[in-house]
Amino acid sequence: MTKPPTLTDIAKAAGVHSSTVSRVMNPETRKMVSSDVAKRILAEAGRIGYRTNLAASTLRTRRSNVIGVVLPDITNAVFAPILMGIEEGLRRHGYLAIVVNVGNGSEDQSFVINRLLGQQVDGLIFATARRHDTQIEHCVKQRVPVITINRSEDSGTVSGVASDEFLGMRLAVEHLVSLNHTRIAHIAGPQHISTGYLRRLGFVDAIRDMKLAAQKCKVIESSAYSRESGRTALLELLKQAPQTTAVVAGNDLVALGCYDALKEMGLSCPGDISIVGHNDMPLMDMVWPPLTTVRIRHHDMGLEASRLILQVIENIHATVVDIRLKPELIVRDSTAVPRNAKSK
């Protein structure tokens, strides 16, 4: 078998020292070499079929330049722009991401995380965080660089980036109040997850600050961030609070479930009930009616996460930070003035 080409072979082909080749082949040090020389070296590496020996590099540097990204549901469309931001940010520094889908089972999560650590990943980005998360706690005890994204945990021991949930709910409630809604309900996400918990708190605070009667603004919890859970929750909500004229859903999937429930009951959106979602998932402008929703900066979130995890890798004792990105309300056709206000 032909021996794989080495850095020395590239150096001879390009007419430079092997240390120069080494710098060019490492994205972190490539800028130390002039762009013309770097282009020539990379061209020669491609011509002779050079491939970096990642296993040898990992043994030598104790770095794999690979980050594990742990997702709860890869079919959820919100994770596509998050992953794009993470990968874009990591590539700038010569890192790659391994993306794994773990669902919600603790045994599956434990298996996947142990396998990732066995693959010598340099750090982990958790999109699966629970408010009290034993997996993250275990990683912290093992001195594994970890951060959270989109969700946060309550211990305050790891850095993370998420959306400003309080501001997002305030924007939604203020919008509905501006349309003269006074009976606004909230279908909250699961309370063991920070997004469900903080959005619920944000809704309650916004209702109080807008001086709406709390007894007229029902809060009900959905069992999951899913369309079916949203449908079930709205059916129950309207049994308990039939005078409700607007609903702020825990996320867009829950909002779509609200659409299903309204259709099932022969009601219309926004004619009978205005609906506001949360996330602005792809295609929310294509459903009918197009969904008014709180847009989260998912791509920026991914970029920030890549920066944070590399910071923790460089210094495991780096100051813990909780970054909250500013959301934006996107007004579409699922919200309108309530019928009783129109008739006045």
Side-chain angles (χ1 to χ4, degrees), residues 26-84:
N26 182 352
E28 289 286 307
T29 58
R30 186 173 298 163
K31 59 187 176 183
M32 298 170 62
V33 179
S34 71
S35 59
D36 289 343
V37 173
K39 287 179 181 177
R40 187 168 81 248
I41 290 172
L42 291 172
E44 289 297 335
R47 185 182 66 80
I48 67 177
Y50 175 79
R51 297 288 184 274
T52 302
N53 187 332
L54 294 177
S57 177
T58 299
L59 287 173
R60 183 176 67 254
T61 65
R62 295 185 179 274
R63 292 279 180 87
S64 64
N65 281 31
V66 176
I67 304 297
V69 181
V70 186
L71 301 183
D73 180 5
I74 202 167
T75 65
N76 190 325
V78 303
F79 291 115
I82 288 177
L83 288 172
M84 288 177 66

Side-chain angles (χ1 to χ4, degrees), residues 31 62 65 68 90 156 161 165 170 258 282 297-298 337 343:
K31 59 187 176 183
R62 295 185 179 274
N65 281 31
L90 292 179
V161 55
E165 312 292 7
R170 180 172 298 277
C258 291
R297 294 159 51 193
H298 293 114
V337 176
S343 61

Side-chain angles (χ1 to χ4, degrees), residues 94 130 213 225:
R130 300 185 176 211
Y225 279 130

Side-chain angles (χ1 to χ4, degrees), residues 164-178 202 206 248 276 278 292-295 326-331:
D164 186 336
E165 312 292 7
F166 279 78
L167 177 58
M169 296 306 289
R170 180 172 298 277
L171 292 173
V173 171
E174 286 179 347
H175 168 65
L176 291 170
V177 170
S178 75
V248 181
V276 179
H278 208 111
T292 294
T293 186
V294 177
R295 175 177 290 169
K326 185 177 180 180
E328 175 187 6
L329 183 70
I330 305 299
V331 178

Side-chain angles (χ1 to χ4, degrees), residues 67-91 96-101 125-127 149-150 297-303 305-306:
I67 304 297
V69 181
V70 186
L71 301 183
D73 180 5
I74 202 167
T75 65
N76 190 325
V78 303
F79 291 115
I82 288 177
L83 288 172
M84 288 177 66
I86 290 173
E87 293 187 325
E88 181 181 324
L90 292 179
R91 278 199 303 270
L96 291 176
I98 293 180
V99 180
V100 292
N101 185 72
I125 298 175
F126 281 90
I149 187 170
N150 196 48
R297 294 159 51 193
H298 293 114
H299 184 265
D300 290 345
M301 192 183 291
L303 288 174
S306 68

